Amino acid sequence: MAAVMLQGTGSDVGKSVLVAGLYRLLANRGLKVVPFKPQNMSNNAAVAQCGEIGRAQALQAMACRAVPSIDMNPVLIKPQSDTGAQVVVHGKVIGTLGAADYQHRKGELLSAVMQSWDRLRAGADMVIVEGAGSPAEINLRAGDIANMGFARAAGVPVVLVGDIDRGGVIASIVGTKAVIDEADAAMIHGFVINKFRGDVRLFDDGYAQIEQRTGWSGLGVIPWLAAARQLPAEDAVVLDAAAATDGAITIAVPMLSRIANFDDFDPLAHEPGVRLTMVPPGQPLPGDAALIILPGTKATIADLAFLRAQGWDIDIAAHVRRGGALLGICGGYQMLGQAIEDPDGVEGAPETVAGLGYLPVATRLTADKRVVDVTGTSLRDDQPFTGYEIHVGQTRALPQVQPLLRLDSGEHDGAVSPDGRIAGCYIHRLFDHPAQRGAWLARLGAQGDGVAQDHRVDQALDALAASLENYVDIDRLLAIARHSHD
């Protein structure tokens, strides 16, 4: 079994997308490959066998043409506040820890990481491990399981990824060599430059300088790749909406402070008749929106207060008075109800808060988490959907409330107002199925493009893989990977 680990000079250097593309490339060559990320920090999660993992690892599993497994991401950190996070190990929540507490205890999780590693690598021809953050964060090196701590424990060689688009890539790579200790630096066998714009020949001298100053081999310079825009983001919402065509409808999503699973809206962003607007804090919700969607969140009560602090509750009220449509997904659905009860302090101090009051439902937060893939149909138009649930809390509806969806299990989910303009449900990726998305757009006066989101992503992975064949020295990467050792 061959293995290599891609670590970054910082967060958001494009590791997740690069790894996904490399996996599809190797899978297309006939290799059996599986993704692995020891520790991930993200509120974008996905359902895997027996629990949840980071969304990026689910995407990478798709790139490998493999079934998502909890071993692909044994430790998932889901931030709930600026100083605390929910800790998920082997797909299950083990508790909530403050940032300082986690730093002291993360070394205890190395055994869980290595258990997953041993299980996962046993049946693979090659594993590309994705790091997190940067190995240059030497203040976090003690007990590290995300970068060099894992690489050295598993004997996996490292290739460093630098992002030239943000500037300072020479300093970031050379500086990494300067600040990490010699044993860690010895694990690094090469580097790649990511997100290059323009004539690559202009960087020839810089490339040579990095090789000379570090002693590491360059494996390629990768340009901005258009296919990457078709893939779900993990760590940040990209406010790069396509320009609206004449008569296009606007769909607005307020960016809550703990927004989660925001790739729910990717299918809408790709619709030619839709202008998807991710509204940042401090900005009003657009008055011309046909639909406002309240997204999922890792902290429903805190983000409901955040929503009100932005004045978005006032914008929503005006939108509803104008006859606009309103949808809540997961935590957003909970916010649309009459009340949110947290008697056991799941999200903080025990309390009950008033919801926005648009649907006759109420939610009680509980420690138990529902994590499940689902399929079904919408009750008002009998259109199919596929998706998943990841949430705490149970939402109760009055007997006369019309549910929004019927699951194939026979359960109902969500609620919808009598006039159909206001609705909520727990289903993430509700818009992935083209028939379901088309039905929502038709009610807004637009027409869907009929493309399934999984098909769009799968095509993008193949395009990404084809591009990487041209820009990355794959033979050199494989040679490095074959030097992994126990």
Side-chain angles (χ1 to χ4, degrees), residues 224-378:
W224 275 91
L225 300 174
R229 293 184 179 274
Q230 306 294 317
L231 301 178
E234 181 182 42
D235 297 320
V237 176
V238 180
L239 301 176
D240 188 18
T245 56
D246 290 342
I249 63 167
T250 296
I251 297 177
V253 180
M255 293 175 59
L256 303 173
S257 64
R258 296 298 167 194
I259 189 171
N261 302 85
F262 47 78
D263 58 309
D264 285 350
F265 313 114
D266 285 1
L268 298 173
H270 296 306
E271 285 284 359
V274 171
R275 181 179 184 271
L276 180 69
T277 301
M278 305 297 294
V279 183
Q283 297 295 320
L285 300 181
D288 63 345
L291 171 65
I292 291 175
I293 306 177
L294 301 188
T297 169
K298 192 65 195 70
T300 302
I301 291 177
D303 261 351
L304 179 56
F306 181 83
L307 181 149
R308 286 173 165 140
Q310 305 307 310
W312 287 334
D313 57 330
I314 299 172
D315 295 340
I316 291 169
H319 169 80
V320 171
R321 286 196 301 271
R322 288 192 296 266
L326 179 62
L327 171 66
I329 295 177
C330 199
Y333 170 39
Q334 295 173 341
M335 292 180 189
L336 290 180
Q338 304 298 313
I340 302 167
E341 307 163 8
D342 189 8
D344 300 323
V346 173
E347 289 192 355
E351 61 179 326
T352 296
V353 300
L356 296 174
Y358 290 105
L359 291 172
V361 302
T363 298
R364 182 185 180 95
L365 300 181
T366 61
D368 295 334
K369 179 181 282 193
R370 180 173 168 88
V371 181
V372 62
D373 283 317
V374 293
T375 57
T377 55
S378 47

Side-chain angles (χ1 to χ4, degrees), residues 32 37 51 53 58 60 78 94 104 116 131 203 213 228 272 280 331 368 380-381 399 418 421 424 455 466:
K32 183 177 180 182
K37 184 163 185 170
I53 59 175
Q60 290 162 4
K78 305 184 78 173
I94 65 166
H104 285 110
S116 287
F203 192 63
R213 291 171 183 268
D368 295 334
R380 54 182 165 180
D381 46 32
R421 291 192 300 113
H455 177 70

